[in-house]
Every structure is written in C-alpha cells, then in structure tokens.
Amino acid sequence: MAKISRTVEIDAPVERVYAFMTDPNNMPEVWPSMVEVSNVQRRDDGSHSFDWVYKMAGIRFEGHADAQEVEKNRRVVSKNDSGIPSTFHYTYESVDGKTRLTMEAEYTIPNKVLNKLAEPIVRRINEHEADVLLQNVKARMELAEEAPAAEAHVSAE
C-alpha cells in the first residue's frame, strides 16, 4: 500500500476551508486528475459520499467515496473501496486564524497502472498530484479571502 502525507498552511479560517473541502462538488476545481464527481450526498456535519471519475497515469477509474469518520472543522476520514482502493485522512487545525490542512492518503496502485508504469514513477506522480491539490486549495481559499476587499475597493471608486 502506498502512502502520501502533505500539509499546507492556508490564510483562511478553518471553518471556510472545511466547508469547501467537505463539498465533493469542489474537488474537480482543485484536484487536477479528478475528472468528475456525481451523486453527491452531503450531511450537515461534513460527512458525505459521492461517485467519482479519476485518471491515474492516463487511465480512467470510477469509484465511490464515503466519509466515515467526521469531527466538524477538525477531521474527515474518507474511504474508497472500488476503483482505486484508498483511505484519505484530512486534518484541519486552526493556527492564529489560519488553517493547517494535512492530507494523508493510503492507496493501492491498480494493476492496470502498474502494467503501464513502474511503481516508483506512479508514486511520484501521485505525490505531485497531492502537492498540486493542496496548493490549489490554498490559492482558492486565499483568493476568496481577498475577493470581498477587492470588490469593496472597486465599488468605492
């Protein structure tokens, strides 16, 4: 089983980052290889389930994710049993008004991918994907933080 752990500090409140990340409809916006999300079921505590389409090493996979452990604004554990068997742990920590978001993933590299590329290459691609995902979340959340101030400045002119 392959593992990835990445952390990013986001200049936005933990409640906003948590709300964004627990809405699966946002995933294709920030996750480069997430092709599609459908059949989203969201609950008030941040738990959710959804169907997904993802490309790994250019190969299309379909699966279903289910958030099974949730502590609002603190932690979400989501499992995928089909497509690409995996478990994602997202931890949200408030630090001086900012959010420290940690993503830990454990996943099985499907044989279809291993037949195409060597395991070390696939692992490196997936690590890069995790870095891009978190940087995209950071940019999206920090841009949203700046947008109201920019709009206020424009309307004041």
Side-chain angles (χ1 to χ4, degrees):
M1 182 153 295
K3 295 181 182 184
I4 298 172
S5 181
R6 296 291 192 269
T7 300
V8 66
E9 191 167 289
I10 302 170
D11 192 6
V14 71
E15 296 82 7
R16 191 153 49 90
V17 175
Y18 179 85
F20 180 83
M21 290 296 292
T22 56
D23 182 350
N25 293 303
N26 293 325
M27 290 299 99
E29 178 184 341
V30 293
W31 201 329
S33 294
M34 184 67 70
V35 176
E36 180 183 320
V37 167
S38 61
N39 299 321
V40 174
Q41 303 285 320
R42 270 187 93 197
R43 296 171 282 287
D44 290 338
D45 65 355
S47 64
H48 53 268
S49 65
F50 61 98
D51 295 331
W52 51 263
V53 176
Y54 184 86
K55 281 193 173 180
M56 180 185 287
I59 300 171
R60 181 184 169 105
F61 292 91
E62 296 180 11
H64 181 79
D66 186 30
Q68 298 181 336
E69 298 175 35
V70 175
E71 290 179 55
K72 193 169 185 174
N73 297 324
R74 298 193 54 140
R75 183 169 99 79
V76 175
V77 177
S78 184
K79 292 191 180 267
N80 298 290
D81 292 323
S82 59
I84 303 170
S86 54
T87 302
F88 287 83
H89 297 253
Y90 293 96
T91 305
Y92 304 82
E93 189 178 356
S94 183
V95 180
D96 299 326
K98 298 179 181 182
T99 301
R100 182 173 296 137
L101 172 60
T102 300
M103 180 194 80
E104 296 175 329
E106 296 179 17
Y107 63 98
T108 302
I109 300 172
N111 285 335
K112 285 195 273 186
V113 174
L114 290 177
N115 290 339
K116 183 176 179 183
L117 296 172
E119 185 171 346
I121 294 170
V122 175
R123 285 180 188 248
R124 185 65 197 123
I125 290 168
N126 290 337
E127 289 169 356
H128 175 72
E129 185 87 6
D131 292 335
V132 171
L133 165 63
L134 291 184
Q135 288 305 310
N136 285 346
V137 171
K138 176 180 174 63
R140 173 67 166 79
M141 292 291 92
E142 291 179 356
L143 181 61
E145 187 74 8
E146 294 172 10
E151 289 170 12
H153 178 70
V154 168
S155 63
E157 292 179 356

